[in-house]
Amino acid sequence: MAIYLAREATKLWRKVTAETTVELQLLFEKWRLLLAGIVFQYIHGLAARGVHYLHRPGPLLQDLGFMALPELGQDKGYLSEILFTSIFVTFVLWSFHPFIYHSKRFYTVLLWRRVLAFLVASQFLRIVTFYSTQLPGPNYHCREGSKLATLPPPNNVLEVLLINFPRGVLFGCGDLIFSSHMIFTLVFVRTYHKYGSKRLIKLFAWLMAIIQSLLIIASRKHYSVDVVVAWYTVNLVVFFIDKNLPEMPDRTSGLSLLPVSTKDKDDRTKEELHKAEKDSKMKDELHKLLNGNTVDSTDRRQRGQMNGKHGEDMNHNLSDATPNGA
């Protein structure tokens, strides 16, 4: 038993080491775009913090979702956060599964490059939207009478840049249309739907996205419009961006460790053509040696045609010269 475990541990270590080497090569090539996507996450948080200074509490807007779904209450608001955290952590762990499992369907670096592109585009639209019009927040700490509903003017720039993390993120107001939680949820679910391999998990993921939407409304963290706009905006953004991005190589067959670039493909095509031409010349030379002459293939074909014609003429003359009945 101990020998078996040691052998499997060695195989796993080799697998992790080989995959890490491949992913690091990709990371050294794509690090600029990945870093830009990560930096924009801070910019998005900074924008959400800034709109909180502009927020003014007021009466809740009439909302169809509030009428249809009973209010969970302030003591049960954590339910939507637990589900969102589960979706987030599960997706992150799944995105690194090629380091351990043999089912190689994608490169982790390239996958996160696409995910960050989806997130950045959706978050940019979100920033433009919630700065256009500030709605009175429906969350408990954003309502009238709450000390957190309105932020006093900042004393210095550093107070704004630090965004009071994590309290400033958890108790923000004003960044409503559209839901940031739904941006992450829908991007993760759509990504797994395309690159995941388990059909049952795909259906379960979409079900979790629907439940997440209902919990956000029931906990009064967003209006229904924030969730509805997120559903069609994020899906459209992912559809159009994914359509214009180069498709990731499928690693299911396990034939290639790294994606082949266009230059490599061109060089490989040139080498194959050169090899085919060289093989053709070698065959012609071999044919000449076997026939005992140095006549090229064109002359050989012409001579063959002439010999065949002479043979036909000779046979025709002989048949004419032969008497009938012989």
Side-chain angles (χ1 to χ4, degrees), residues 54 169 176-177 181 193 247 261 284 297:
L54 304 177
V169 176
L176 294 176
I177 301 178
H181 282 55
H193 184 85
E247 188 53 62
S261 63
D284 290 340
S297 59

Side-chain angles (χ1 to χ4, degrees), residues 37-69:
I38 295 174
V39 170
F40 194 85
Q41 300 308 303
Y42 168 75
I43 296 175
H44 173 256
L46 188 63
R49 176 67 174 177
V51 79
H52 196 169
Y53 290 101
L54 304 177
H55 177 257
R56 295 295 178 267
L60 296 182
L61 304 179
Q62 185 173 350
D63 190 282
L64 184 61
F66 290 177
M67 299 177 185
L69 295 174

Side-chain angles (χ1 to χ4, degrees), residues 2 20 28 35 56 60 71 73 102 120 159-160 182 194 205 208 224 237 264:
T20 302
F28 290 150
L35 181 61
R56 295 295 178 267
L60 296 182
E71 189 171 353
H102 293 284
V120 168
E159 183 179 341
V160 179
M182 290 309 302
K194 182 174 182 179
M208 291 298 100
S224 299
V237 167
D264 294 336

